[in-house]
C-alpha cells in the first residue's frame, strides 16, 4: 500500500458549481467506475488459465461425464457473452451467484465475512487516523526536534516492516509466549453471544490484529499530516494570528491544523477502502474470519462467482469512499462552495 | 482547553485502557490454561470447509469431520481392516456380485430413532438417481446396479460386475426421516445434525468454528469426552502458539520445524504418525492422449527406459528424508505408503533400484549417451541432455529436493533446469504432459483400487487435458491385466499379492520414483486429554484417519497429570517485560513534558 497524496483531480472544474450539479457530476463518475468494475470483474477472472471444474475434482476419481456435468452446473459450458448476460441480469436483482466451493449464495458468504473485516479495519483505521494526525501535527510543529525525529523514525520503521512478520512476532510473544492474548479467531468458541462476556472476548481477540494493523498504517497519516502542516507553517495568516497575541498552541490548533486537514481528509477516505482490501495479511496471521481471507481462498479453485463478488464489493467500497471524500472536501473547503 | 491540559486526561485514559486490557488478558490466560473437566476437546482447523452435506462435501476438512457424524455400512478398523459400521455382518455371493448386509437392533440415530435398511436404500439410491448428489461419492456407486431392503434389518446390493472393495464402505448413510423432508442437494446439515457416529455437529460458525457433541446413542458406547470443537486457524504457526497457550488441545499438519520446536515440553506430546501419502519424482515417458496421439512437450530422450532407470539410480532417497524431512518420514518403495501394510512393498520378483551414481554412469555409457562439453552428456540425436524439473512454489521441500537432485544429476552428466511454479500450473502442465520431471504425490485410501485405476490406459486424458486423469501419463497392457486381476480377486491375501505386483509394474516402468512417505506430524496437550487411538494402532495418526478412532478413544486427562509448565516463555520474561514497558512509558512521558515546557517558552 503506498502513501497516497491526493486532492480531487477535477476540483478546478467544479469550483463554483452548484451543489446539485456537483453531486450529479460526482455520482455520475462513481456509477461509471462501478459499471467498469462490473465488466472488468467478470472478464478479468476468466483470463486465468485454470479450469475450475478440473481443479475442483483433481485428486478424486471422476469420469469425464461428471466433470462435464459440473461445468454445466456452473454454467461454464455456455458462451462467454451468454454467461456475462446472466451475470449482469442477476446482479441487478442483488444475486451475486452461487459459490462453486461453498455451494452457497455469494452475497450471503460476503455478509458473513464482511462484519468481522469492518470491525477490524474500522477500529484499526480510527486509531491510526487519530494517532497519525495527532503525531503528524505535533512533529511538524517541532520539525527537526528529537520528538520529530523519534516519532517519524518509529513510524517509518513500522511502515517498512512486513505486516505478516510483525503480526507473527506479536502473536509469538503475547499469544504463545506470555499467554496474555488469544492466538487467533474473533471469539472463543462456546462463548454465549450477545452478553458482556462476548463483547470482552471479542475485544481481547481484537487487540493483537488491531495493534499490528495500526503499527503498519499510521505512518501514512502521520507523514501526510506532517507535510501538510509544514506547508501551512510559513503562511502569512499564522504571522497574523501570532501578531494578535495568540498562544502557540492556539495558533496551531485553530489556524494551522484546520487548513492542513484538507488534503489529509481526502487521503483518509481514499485509504479506508484500500484498508479493507489490504487486511488480508493480518486476517491470515490472526485467523480473522474476514473478507480478505475469503478472497484469497476464492483464488485457489478458482471460485469465479466468489471472486467476482468480492471484487465488486471491494471496488464499490473504494468508489463509495472516493465519492464521500469528494463531498467532505467540498464541505471543508469553502472555495468549492462559492457558487 | 489548551492542548497541554488536554494531554493529561488523554494519558490517563490510555493508561486505563492498557491496564484494563492487560487485566482482561491475564484473567483470560488463566482461563485458557485450565481446561475444565467436561470441556470439549479443541482442535485447530487449518483446512477449508465447503459444506457438511455428505452428498456434496468434497474438501478434506469437511469429509474428515463428517466421518465422526455418519457411519457407513462397513467401516475401517485401526489397521484399516473392514469392521462393522451400521452393518454388523455382511456376506458376498459366490460370483461376488451380490452383497448382503445385516443391521443389528442396537444401531440408532443420535435423535434416538432406529437405523433401518430403508435409510441405507434412501442414501444409496439418492446418489445413484440424482446427478447433483454424486459430487462427493458418485464414483463409488458406478458399479452398483440395485440396492434393496427386503426387511428393516437387511440390505441387498447387486453389482454390475464383481469387485474386491466392499461397496458398503466409504459412503456416509443419512437418516431418511430427516433428509426426505429437505432438498438433499441444498440442505446445509450444519446445525443440530442427526447422525449415527460418535459425535454430531451442534453449531457451525462460518470461517470460525465447528462444535460437535458426543452422541449418547452411538452403538459402540457414548464417547468419553463431551464433544469436539474445531477452531479455525488460518496458519499453523498461530495454531502452534494456541497449543502452547492452552487455547487448543490438538494440532495436526505440522511442519518438521514446528514439530521440533515443540520438543522438550512436559505438557505437550508430539506424535509422528506414518503417513498415507507418497511423494514421488515423475518422469515423462512420452505422454499420449486417450486416442493414442502424443501430447505435451516432454523431452523425447526420456522415452528410453534405460535413461529413466539411470535417473532412478541418481536419487538418494535416504539423504532426502534425513535432510529435507529432518528424518520425519520413511523412504519410498512403491506408491503404497507404509501405513497400508497389506499392500506395502514390492511384489515377488521385483526389487528396488539402489542409489548408485557409478552404476548410473555405466548404464548411460552403455546406452550410448556420450559425454559432451561442460560435463553434460548428449542424447542420441547429439543434443545436450538437459531436463526441466518442475515443483510447487508453496512447498519448500520441493525446492530443497531440487537442489540435491541438481548436484546428483550433474554427476551423471544430466543438466537440470529447475522451476518452482504455482500448484495450479503444476496440475495443468502435468495433465497436459508439459514436463520432463516433476514432483508429484497422492494420498491413498485403504483400498488401492482407485490409485491403480488411474494408471490404466483407459484413464488417459483427452487431448485438451479434460476427461480422466492419468497418474503417470503412461499406459501398458501388462499393467492393465494386473489391474483387472486384483480388481476382481475376492480373496484378501491373494489380492494383496496382486496389488503389490501391479504397483511394482508401475515402478519397473521408471515413470514414477516414490521418494518418501512423510510422517503426519501432530501434537496435543497431555494435561488436557489423553488416550487417543491411532490408526494404525502402533505408530499411526490421530486425526485424518479412515475412521473415528482417534477422538473416539480420547478421554480427559486426570487432574494429577496437569502441570504448571504450559510450554510458554520462561517465568522471568514477564517481570522483565513489564519493567521494559514501564521504562519506555516513563521516557515517553518525560519527553512529552520536556518538549511541552520548551514549547511554552517559545
Amino acid at each position: 500500500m503506498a502513501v497516497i497524496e491526493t486532492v480531487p483531480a477535477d476540483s478546478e472544474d467544479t469550483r463554483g458549481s452548484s451543489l446539485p450539479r456537483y453531486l450529479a457530476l460526482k455520482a455520475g463518475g462513481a456509477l461509471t467506475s462501478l459499471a467498469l468494475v462490473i465488466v472488468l470483474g467478470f472478464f478479468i477472472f476468466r483470463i486465468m488459465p485454470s479450469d475450475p471444474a478440473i481443479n475442483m475434482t483433481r485428486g478424486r476419481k471422476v469420469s469425464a461425464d461428471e466433470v462435464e456435468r459440473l461445468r454445466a452446473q456452473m454454467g461454464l459450458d455456455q458462451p462467454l457473452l451468454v454467461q456475462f448476460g446472466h451475470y449482469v441480469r442477476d446482479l441487478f436483482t442483488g444475486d451475486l451467484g452461487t459459490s462453486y466451493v461453498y455451494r452457497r449464495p455469494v452475497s450471503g458468504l460476503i455478509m458473513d465475512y464482511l462484519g468481522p473485516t469492518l470491525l477490524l479495519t474500522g477500529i484499526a483505521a480510527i486509531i491510526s487516523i487519530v494517532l497519525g494526525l495527532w503525531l503528524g501535527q505535533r512533529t511538524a510543529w517541532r520539525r527537526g526536534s528529537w520528538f520529530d525525529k523519534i516519532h517519524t523514525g518509529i513510524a517509518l520503521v513500522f511502515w517498512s516492516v512486513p505486516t505478516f512478520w510483525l503480526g507473527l512476532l506479536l502473536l509469538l510473544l503475547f499469544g504463545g509466549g506470555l499467554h496474555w492474548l488469544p492466538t487467533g479467531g474473533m471469539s472463543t468458541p462456546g462463548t454465549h453471544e450477545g452478553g458482556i462476556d462476548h463483547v470482552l472476548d471479542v475485544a481481547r481477540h481484537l487487540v493483537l490484529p488491531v495493534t499490528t494493523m495500526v503499527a503498519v498504517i499510521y505512518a501514512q497519516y502521520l507523514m501526510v499530516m506532517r507535510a501538510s502542516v509544514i506547508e501551512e507553517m510559513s503562511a502569512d495568516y499564522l504571522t497574523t494570528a501570532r501578531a494578535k497575541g495568540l498562544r502557540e498552541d492556539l495558533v496551531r490548533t485553530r489556524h494551522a491544523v484546520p487548513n492542513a486537514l484538507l488534503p489529509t481528509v481526502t487521503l483518509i477516505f481514499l485509504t479506508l477502502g484500500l484498508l479493507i482490501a489490504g487486511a488480508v495479511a493480518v486476517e491470515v496471521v490472526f485467523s480473522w474470519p474476514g473478507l480478505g481471507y475469503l478472497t484469497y481462498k476464492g483464488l485457489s479453485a478458482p471460485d469465479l462467482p466468489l471472486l467476482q463478488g468480492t471484487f465488486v464489493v471491494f471496488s464499490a467500497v473504494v468508489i463509495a469512499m472516493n465519492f464521500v471524500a469528494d463531498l467532505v472536501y467540498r464541505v471543508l473547503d469553502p472555495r468549492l462552495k462559492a457558487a | 482547553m489548551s492542548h497541554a491540559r488536554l494531554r493529561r486526561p488523554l494519558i490517563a485514559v490510555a493508561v486505563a485502557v492498557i491496564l484494563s486490557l492487560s487485566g482482561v488478558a491475564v484473567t483470560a490466560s488463566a482461563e485458557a490454561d485450565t481446561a475444565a473437566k467436561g470441556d470439549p476437546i479443541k482442535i485447530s482447523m487449518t483446512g477449508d470447509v465447503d459444506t457438511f452435506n455428505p452428498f456434496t462435501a468434497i474438501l478434506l476438512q469437511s469429509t474428515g469431520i463428517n466421518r465422526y457424524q455418519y457411519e457407513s455400512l462397513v467401516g475401517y478398523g485401526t489397521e484399516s481392516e473392514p469392521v462393522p459400521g451400521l452393518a454388523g455382518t455382511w456376506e458376498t455371493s459366490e460370483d461376488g456380485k451380490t452383497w448382503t448386509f445385516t443391521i443389528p437392533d442396537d444401531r440408532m440415530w443420535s435423535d434416538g430413532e432406529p437405523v433401518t435398511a430403508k435409510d441405507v436404500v434412501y442414501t444409496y439410491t439418492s446418489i445413484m438417481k440424482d446427478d447433483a448428489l454424486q459430487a462427493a461419492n458418485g464414483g463409488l456407486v458406478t458399479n452398483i446396479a440395485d440396492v434393496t431392503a427386503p426387511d428393516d434389518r437387511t440390505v441387498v446390493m447387486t453389482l454390475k460386475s464383481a469387485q474386491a472393495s466392499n461397496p458398503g464402505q466409504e459412503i456416509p448413510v443419512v437418516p431418511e426421516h430427516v433428509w426426505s423432508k429437505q432438498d438433499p442437494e441444498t440442505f446445509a446439515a450444519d446445525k443440530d445434525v442427526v447422525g449415527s457416529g460418535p459425535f454430531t455437529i451442534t453449531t457451525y460458525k462460518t470461517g470460525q468454528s465447528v462444535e460437535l457433541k458426543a452422541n449418547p446413542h452411538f452403538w459402540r458406547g457414548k464417547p468419553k469426552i463431551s464433544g469436539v470443537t474445531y477452531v479455525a486457524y488460518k496458519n499453523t504457526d498461530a495454531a502452534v502458539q494456541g497449543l502452547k497457550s492452552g487455547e487448543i488441545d490438538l494440532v495436526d499438519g505440522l511442519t518438521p520445524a514446528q514439530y521440533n520446536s515443540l520438543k522438550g515440553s512436559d505438557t505437550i506430546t508430539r506424535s509422528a504418525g506414518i503417513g498415507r501419502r507418497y511423494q514421488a519424482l515423475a518422469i515423462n515417458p512420452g505422454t499420449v492422449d486417450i486416442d493414442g496421439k502424443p501430447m505435451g512437450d516432454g523431452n523425447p530422450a526420456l522415452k528410453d527406459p534405460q535413461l529413466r532407470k539411470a535417473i532412478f539410480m541418481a536419487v538418494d532417497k535416504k539423504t532426502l528424508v534425513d535432510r529435507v524431512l529432518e528424518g520425519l518420514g520413511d523412504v519410498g518403495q512403491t506408491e503404497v505408503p507404509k501405513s497400508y501394510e497389506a499392500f506395502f512393498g514390492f511384489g515377488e520378483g521385483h526389487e528396488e533400484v539402489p542409489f548408485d551414481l557409478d552404476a548410473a554412469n555405466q548404464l548411460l555409457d552403455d546406452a550410448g549417451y556420450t559425454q559432451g562439453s561442460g560435463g553434460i552428456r548428449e542424447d542420441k540425436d547429439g543434443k545436450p541432455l538437459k531436463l526441466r524439473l518442475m515443483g510447487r512454489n508453496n512447498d519448500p521441500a520441493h525446492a530443497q529436493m531440487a537442489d540435491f537432485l541438481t548436484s546428483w544429476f550433474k554427476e551423471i552428466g544430466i543438466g537440470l533446469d529447475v522451476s518452482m511454479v504455482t500448484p495450479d500450473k503444476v496440475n495443468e502442465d502435468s495433465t497436459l504432459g508439459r514436463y520432463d520431471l516433476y514432483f508429484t504425490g497422492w494420498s491413498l485410501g485403504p483400498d488401492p483400487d482407485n490409485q491403480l485405476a488411474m494408471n490404466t490406459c483407459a484413464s488417459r486424458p483427452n487431448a485438451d487435458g479434460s476427461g480422466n486423469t492419468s497418474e503417470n501419463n503412461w499406459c501398458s497392457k501388462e499393467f492393465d491385466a494386473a489391474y483387472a486381476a486384483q480388481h476382481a480377486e475376492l480373496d484378501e491375501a491373494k489380492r494383496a499379492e496382486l496389488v503389490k505386483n501391479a504397483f511394482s509394474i508401475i515402478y519397473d516402468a521408471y515413470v514414477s520414483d516414490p521418494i518418501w512417505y512423510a510422517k503426519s506430524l501432530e501434537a496435543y496437550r497431555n494435561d488436557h486429554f489423553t488416550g487417543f487411538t491411532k490408526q494404525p494402532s502402533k505408530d499411526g495418526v490421530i486425526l485424518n484417519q479412515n475412521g473415528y478412532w482417534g477422538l473416539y478413544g480420547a478421554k480427559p486427562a486426570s487432574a494429577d497429570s496437569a502441570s504448571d509448565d504450559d510450554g510458554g516463555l520462561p517465568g522471568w520474561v514477564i517481570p522483565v517485560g513489564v519493567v521494559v514497558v514501564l521504562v519506555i512509558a516513563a521516557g515517553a512521558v518525560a519527553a512529552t513534558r520536556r518538549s511541552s515546557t520548551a514549547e511554552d517558552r517559545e
Side-chain angles (χ1 to χ4, degrees):
Chain A
M1 214 188 299
V3 176
I4 300 164
E5 290 189 61
T6 177
V7 286
D10 52 355
S11 57
E12 285 298 315
D13 305 335
T14 49
R15 180 180 297 184
S17 63
S18 67
L19 182 64
R21 189 176 128 75
Y22 181 82
L23 278 180
L25 265 173
K26 294 294 171 194
L31 286 176
T32 313
S33 307
L34 194 63
L36 281 174
V37 160
I38 289 170
V39 177
L40 199 68
F42 180 83
F43 290 102
I44 204 166
F45 293 116
R46 278 166 175 76
I47 297 173
M48 294 201 289
S50 36
D51 181 330
I54 290 184
N55 268 343
M56 284 169 61
T57 52
R58 200 177 298 279
R60 296 183 302 124
K61 192 189 174 197
V62 282
S63 66
D65 285 352
E66 281 177 274
V67 174
E68 269 321 300
R69 215 153 42 221
L70 198 59
R71 288 175 56 83
Q73 245 176 42
M74 296 170 176
L76 290 170
D77 56 338
Q78 292 170 329
L80 203 56
L81 282 178
V82 175
Q83 290 183 42
F84 181 64
H86 290 162
Y87 168 63
V88 174
R89 183 195 63 200
D90 293 344
L91 210 56
F92 275 107
T93 59
D95 180 0
L96 290 170
T98 303
S99 155
Y100 296 162
V101 175
Y102 298 96
R103 289 152 202 273
R104 284 181 50 197
V106 169
S107 47
L109 266 173
I110 289 180
M111 287 318 286
D112 277 353
Y113 285 83
L114 184 64
T117 293
L118 288 181
L119 183 70
L120 172 64
T121 47
I123 292 178
I126 290 170
I127 297 178
S128 315
I129 290 166
V130 171
L131 185 70
L133 297 192
W134 186 75
L135 284 175
Q137 44 100 11
R138 305 287 302 202
T139 50
W141 208 249
R142 275 180 268 148
R143 187 167 38 148
S145 69
W146 277 108
F147 181 84
D148 178 26
K149 282 177 191 158
I150 290 173
H151 278 289
T152 42
I154 292 175
L156 289 177
V157 166
F158 279 132
W159 171 258
S160 329
V161 163
T163 315
F164 198 85
W165 182 83
L166 178 66
L168 219 47
L169 207 68
L170 290 176
L171 185 73
L172 229 70
L173 187 64
F174 295 103
L178 297 170
H179 303 186
W180 286 2
L181 291 161
T183 51
M186 193 170 85
S187 60
T188 309
T191 316
H192 179 66
E193 264 186 57
I196 185 76
D197 281 356
H198 185 237
V199 174
L200 279 177
D201 187 48
V202 173
R204 278 182 53 234
H205 282 81
L206 268 167
V207 175
L208 287 181
V210 164
T211 308
T212 310
M213 232 174 146
V214 168
V216 177
I217 60 177
Y218 85 98
Q220 57 182 329
Y221 302 111
L222 187 155
M223 296 314 284
V224 171
M225 189 64 187
R226 183 174 175 277
S228 193
V229 170
I230 286 176
E231 206 172 294
E232 297 297 328
M233 272 167 71
S234 54
D236 291 342
Y237 66 85
L238 291 190
T239 316
T240 315
R242 288 195 183 99
K244 286 195 296 186
L246 279 184
R247 280 187 39 230
E248 254 332 84
D249 261 357
L250 292 179
V251 174
R252 190 184 73 223
T253 51
R254 290 209 188 144
H255 294 272
V257 169
N259 281 301
L261 270 176
L262 269 178
T264 321
V265 166
T266 320
L267 165 82
I268 288 171
F269 282 98
L270 286 178
T271 49
L272 278 185
L274 295 174
L275 282 187
I276 293 180
V280 182
V282 175
E283 288 181 359
V284 171
V285 173
F286 294 103
S287 310
W288 196 260
L291 214 46
Y293 184 74
L294 185 69
T295 313
Y296 171 72
K297 292 313 289 181
L299 278 167
S300 56
D303 194 336
L304 297 178
L306 180 59
L307 287 174
Q308 280 159 201
T310 50
F311 183 72
V312 167
V313 169
F314 282 143
S315 312
V317 172
V318 174
I319 292 170
M321 286 301 160
N322 268 329
F323 183 60
V324 174
D326 281 334
L327 296 187
V328 173
Y329 199 77
R330 189 183 162 96
V331 172
L332 287 181
D333 189 348
R335 286 168 296 187
L336 291 180
K337 275 189 247 174
Chain B
M1 198 194 287
S2 82
H3 256 250
R5 254 184 275 159
L6 232 179
R7 192 181 307 123
R8 247 164 258 131
L10 269 180
I11 292 174
V13 169
V15 169
V17 168
I18 290 169
L19 284 180
S20 56
L21 274 181
S22 50
V24 170
V26 170
T27 334
S29 80
E31 279 165 17
D33 282 352
T34 45
K37 286 278 168 287
D39 275 358
I41 183 170
K42 293 197 178 113
I43 301 174
S44 68
M45 171 171 77
T46 42
D48 246 0
V49 169
D50 45 0
T51 165
F52 288 111
N53 180 324
F55 290 112
T56 53
I58 292 172
L59 299 182
L60 198 64
Q61 188 77 63
S62 332
T63 52
I65 293 176
N66 275 347
R67 279 187 192 278
Y68 295 106
Q69 300 202 89
Y70 304 100
E71 278 267 31
S72 301
L73 275 172
V74 180
Y76 293 105
T78 51
E79 313 311 319
S80 294
E81 77 285 12
V83 294
L86 291 180
T89 53
W90 54 94
E91 285 169 6
T92 319
S93 65
E94 263 185 32
D95 64 357
K97 285 189 181 173
T98 308
W99 291 66
T100 309
F101 301 86
T102 310
I103 302 173
D105 291 333
D106 63 353
R107 303 300 198 264
M108 308 258 266
W109 295 108
S110 54
D111 60 358
E113 294 286 318
V115 175
T116 69
K118 285 185 187 128
D119 293 313
V120 181
V121 173
Y122 169 80
T123 304
Y124 274 73
T125 49
S126 294
I127 300 174
M128 287 155 67
K129 283 181 188 160
D130 189 346
D131 286 353
L133 302 183
Q134 293 180 357
N137 297 310
L140 296 172
V141 297
T142 46
N143 192 34
I144 300 176
D146 190 31
V147 183
T148 54
D151 60 64
D152 269 2
R153 301 276 133 224
T154 313
V155 177
V156 179
M157 270 185 222
T158 317
L159 306 185
K160 292 171 190 164
S161 63
Q163 69 176 45
S165 55
N166 192 319
Q169 284 179 314
E170 291 287 349
I171 295 182
V173 174
V174 300
E176 185 183 12
H177 67 275
V178 174
W179 284 74
S180 60
K181 291 178 196 145
Q182 306 280 345
D183 173 359
E185 188 191 345
T186 55
F187 185 31
D190 57 6
K191 193 172 182 294
D192 300 326
V193 171
V194 177
S196 54
F199 302 97
T200 54
I201 293 180
T202 52
T203 45
Y204 167 49
K205 278 192 205 159
T206 316
Q208 298 189 50
S209 59
V210 190
E211 294 177 44
L212 296 91
K213 65 166 190 203
N215 171 11
H217 299 289
F218 182 49
W219 69 276
R220 289 183 189 272
K222 191 181 175 183
K224 296 178 209 70
I225 55 176
S226 66
V228 181
T229 300
Y230 286 87
V231 186
Y233 272 90
K234 302 195 175 11
N235 72 89
T236 340
D237 284 316
V240 168
Q241 299 307 316
L243 182 76
K244 284 184 180 174
S245 74
E247 274 172 84
I248 45 174
D249 306 308
L250 176 54
V251 180
D252 69 332
L254 299 173
T255 63
Q258 289 162 343
Y259 182 81
N260 288 332
S261 78
L262 292 170
K263 200 174 172 182
S265 165
D266 292 341
T267 52
I268 294 173
T269 300
R270 304 179 305 159
S271 162
I274 54 174
R276 298 190 310 181
R277 184 180 177 82
Y278 74 85
Q279 168 76 63
L281 175 70
I283 308 177
N284 190 343
T287 308
V288 175
D289 71 16
I290 188 76
D291 300 320
K293 293 196 184 110
M295 285 175 83
D297 59 6
N299 190 322
L302 290 172
K303 287 182 185 166
D304 177 5
Q306 294 306 304
L307 173 59
R308 302 204 297 264
K309 184 176 182 183
I311 290 175
F312 269 38
M313 288 173 158
V315 180
D316 183 358
K317 301 176 186 178
K318 177 79 174 58
T319 297
L320 290 177
V321 169
D322 289 345
R323 300 287 294 278
V324 179
L325 286 186
E326 301 184 32
L328 294 165
D330 296 296
V331 170
Q333 294 193 15
T334 70
E335 290 175 358
V336 178
K338 217 177 166 183
S339 48
Y340 302 119
E341 211 171 324
F343 305 120
F344 175 72
F346 292 99
E348 217 177 300
H350 300 270
E351 59 184 30
E352 189 171 5
V353 177
F355 169 66
D356 188 339
L357 294 175
D358 292 338
N361 268 317
Q362 188 62 50
L363 183 66
L364 290 173
D365 286 343
D366 295 348
Y369 295 93
T370 52
Q371 284 288 354
S373 60
I376 301 287
R377 289 176 185 271
E378 287 176 352
D379 67 17
K380 290 171 181 172
D381 296 329
K383 287 188 204 147
L385 202 50
K386 282 193 174 169
L387 302 175
R388 297 162 297 164
L389 169 63
M390 176 168 67
R392 291 168 196 252
N393 60 9
N394 65 343
D395 188 343
H398 286 190
Q400 291 174 44
M401 285 195 287
D403 285 345
F404 283 100
L405 293 188
T406 305
S407 74
W408 292 326
F409 283 24
K410 197 175 166 196
E411 290 191 42
I412 62 167
I414 296 178
L416 263 192
D417 179 12
V418 177
S419 59
M420 293 294 142
V421 295
T422 62
D424 274 354
K425 174 98 175 129
V426 173
N427 286 339
E428 191 173 328
D429 282 356
S430 58
T431 307
L432 292 169
R434 293 194 298 227
Y435 66 96
D436 296 334
L437 311 166
Y438 83 102
F439 292 121
T440 181
W442 291 80
S443 294
L444 269 71
D447 195 290
D449 196 271
N450 274 351
Q451 206 64 27
L452 288 169
M454 275 194 292
N455 285 286
T456 56
C457 295
S459 189
R460 287 173 299 173
N462 297 327
D464 62 356
S466 65
N468 293 316
T469 302
S470 173
E471 189 185 66
N472 292 305
N473 292 323
W474 160 85
C475 150
S476 126
K477 283 188 180 143
E478 183 197 3
F479 174 81
D480 279 8
Y483 167 75
Q486 67 77 33
H487 183 76
E489 179 57 63
L490 296 175
D491 182 281
E492 280 177 31
K494 280 186 194 159
R495 180 171 180 235
E497 279 313 307
L498 292 172
V499 167
K500 283 190 202 178
N501 179 53
F503 277 112
S504 301
I505 293 173
I506 302 176
Y507 183 87
D508 287 347
Y510 312 121
V511 289
S512 167
D513 188 11
I515 296 171
W516 68 47
Y517 319 113
K519 297 249 163 100
S520 283
L521 306 178
E522 304 169 312
Y524 62 89
R525 292 288 300 230
N526 57 32
D527 54 341
H528 296 176
F529 293 94
T530 57
F532 302 101
T533 309
K534 293 178 179 176
Q535 185 191 51
S537 55
K538 191 166 153 272
D539 44 12
V541 292
I542 297 171
L543 297 176
N544 294 318
Q545 299 182 344
N546 302 303
Y548 40 65
W549 307 105
L551 297 182
Y552 179 60
K555 55 187 182 205
S558 57
D560 53 288
S561 74
S563 109
D564 288 339
D565 179 10
D566 43 20
L569 291 180
W572 56 265
V573 172
I574 295 178
V576 169
V578 169
V579 169
V580 168
V581 168
L582 283 179
V583 167
I584 292 175
V589 169
T592 325
R593 292 196 133 209
R594 197 160 32 213
S595 60
S596 79
T597 46
E599 179 192 306
D600 285 343
R601 270 201 303 275
E602 283 169 28

